[in-house]
Structure formats: structure tokens, C-alpha cells
Amino acid sequence: SLARPAEAAGPYRRAFGMRLATLGPRDPETLWSLNNLANTLVSLGDHDGAVRLHRRCLALRVEAFGGGGIEEAHSLHNLG
């Protein structure tokens, strides 16, 4: 949760891993889990880790949906 990012990080990591294993890296649900995990890292002060995950999410979104769409815009917003 946003109120307790330290408690949320573990479940976000688990959800991302489960979705990655089940749905694959380019599935929208997997990418939202990755995005949520990156945002949690920001809340925890791990800005380098968050940037790394946001860049990964951006690259996967562009591969999955092409450039110029709303998915790319979400990732660019998070990197801005």
C-alpha cells in the first residue's frame, strides 16, 4: 500500500514474479505489476532501483504495444 511501502514491496515483488511466470513479460498485467513495484521503490528511497525498473517497463511496453501509445506515456511520466 502507499501508506506502508516497506510492507508493500514484498507482495508487489511476489505479484510481479507470479505474473511474469504465468503471463509473460509483455502482458499488460505483468507490466502494471512491474510499474507498481518501481513506484514502491521510489517511496522507499531506492531511486536507482526504481529508474532501472521503470526503464525496463518502458522498453517492454514499447515492444509489446509499439511506441507513441498511452502505455509508453505512463512509463515516460514515471521517468520524468
Side-chain angles (χ1 to χ4, degrees):
S1 108
L2 293 175
R4 297 185 304 272
E7 294 175 25
Y12 279 140
R13 279 188 178 91
R14 185 167 182 231
F16 171 66
M18 292 169 72
R19 287 179 171 153
L20 182 63
T22 316
L23 303 171
R26 290 168 192 80
D27 184 86
E29 293 296 322
T30 304
L31 294 170
W32 276 114
S33 288
L34 182 59
N35 182 77
N36 290 341
L37 178 55
N39 287 337
T40 300
L41 293 182
V42 170
S43 296
L44 291 171
D46 182 2
H47 299 285
D48 291 338
V51 167
R52 183 176 42 81
L53 292 185
H54 279 307
R55 286 182 178 156
R56 179 177 174 190
C57 191
L58 172 61
L60 288 168
R61 282 176 165 163
V62 170
E63 284 179 27
F65 307 109
I70 192 70
E71 293 84 5
E72 181 183 14
H74 285 298
S75 288
L76 291 171
H77 171 81
N78 287 329
L79 283 166

